[in-house]
Structure formats: C-alpha cells, structure tokens
Amino acid sequence: MQPLIAPSILAADITQLGQEVDDVIAAGADVIHFDVMDNHYVPNLSFGPSLLAALRQNGLSAPVDVHLMTAPADRLVEEFIDVGANMISVHPEACVHIHRTVNRIREAGLQAGVALNPGTSLSAVDPLLESIDYVLIMSVNPGFGGQKFIPTALDRARTMRETLDVRGFTDTRIEMDGGIGVGNIRSAAEAGVDFFVAGSAIYGVACTHPTRRDDYAEVIETLRAEVAAR
Ligand code: DX5
Ligand code: ZN
C-alpha cells in the first residue's frame, strides 16, 4: 500500500489555516489530519465542522481525515459527512454503538476508522474489521499535539498487522498518530504502519527557507525517505 503522510493541522498556525493546508499539500502531503477535541472525551478543545466547511469553501480539495475525539460522536459524524470529510475515525470509548457509527460512515461513502488509545485493547476492533478501512493506533494519549511517542505502539501495530493479514484484511490500513517524526517514522513503517500522522514534526519545522512551503517539502521528503528505507 502506498504510504500516506497526514499533517495534523492542530500544530499549524491557526491564524493562517487556509494557507497552511494549501502549503503542506503543495509540499507533498497526501491527506489533511483534522483533530476534533471536545473538552469532554479529551481535556482539550479544538475545532469543528464549520472550520472544515470554511477550508473547503476556500478551495481545499485534498482528502481530509477527521479524527473525532468527542463523546458522543454520532451527531458530529453527520456534520462532518455534510461538510466534505473523506475519512472519519472514532474511539470505541466515545461511541455507544460503534458498529452502527462506522457502518454509517461507510454508507455515506467515506472511509471509516477506529482509533485505539494506548490503554485500549486491540481486540476492541475485532468485531468491526469488516466495517472499517483503517485502524488508528494512538502513539500518545489523545488530547494534545507535541507529546512524546509511546514506544509500545510499535508492538501493537505489529500485532494488529498480523491479525489483519491472517484474517484476510490485507487492504486495511494502519494509521499511527502522536509523536511521529523523522527519528521514529521508520520504526513505525517497519511495524506495519502505512498511514502516518505528523503534527509538530511538520508544522513545527524551523523556518530556514524563505517560505514555509519549502520547509514543509523538505521535512515531508525526509519522512517519506525514512518510510521507504524500512
Ligand atoms: C493527539 C492528536 C494528534 C496530534 C499529533 O490527540 O490526535 O493528531 O495532534 O501531533 P504530534 O505529531 O505533534 O504529536
Ligand atoms: Zn489525531
């Protein structure tokens, strides 16, 4: 599977978001990762569907991966479907009927994912494998950008990849989210991850070039080269 690089706009300059998403896409990113936090399921508050609607209105055409860290999730799933999300992941702890939720995401023509926190058993996705397109293995506890990578996520990805392959879900992707950067993305790729979220590693790069876009291209190329070297 072609590896996907997904910058998280949580780490972008929020006063320039339209430019920030355009710049990472022009710099070679595949997908925009859109972290939705509600100060309830996670101890932080970010943004909602109106921001995605505004970015679409502003001309954003790239795929958008919505990571819903909200409880409940279902009403926001509907709203994100309406404003042009392409992929939505939900956490089992935040959904009363997660089987219904992921099936609804797919019925609407989007890709569905299930996000597993570092303390959540991998078996939580077992009954859902037929209904999803990707498993999101969290490599930090959700809620904040810029946290330290939790290395046990690597073994969890390896186990998940084996389970997916043994059970015939060879096209199901593994996304990893939290603390990923140039120094550890290769280990994630070796563990079977093919969909990489990076917030601060991309948007936090020092501006050594005349435009941020050049900085982003350099870091995205380096991330890709690390993945290719696995
Ligand atoms: C954490 C979020 C992540 C995070 C990634 O709750 O889901 O997407 O913003 O940011 P970094 O790469 O800075 O850890
Ligand atoms: Zn995320």
Side-chain angles (χ1 to χ4, degrees), residues 8 33 35 67 69 136 138 177 197:
S8 163
H33 185 79
D35 283 309
H67 177 192
M69 291 164 273
L136 196 180
M138 292 300 298
D177 184 8
V197 177

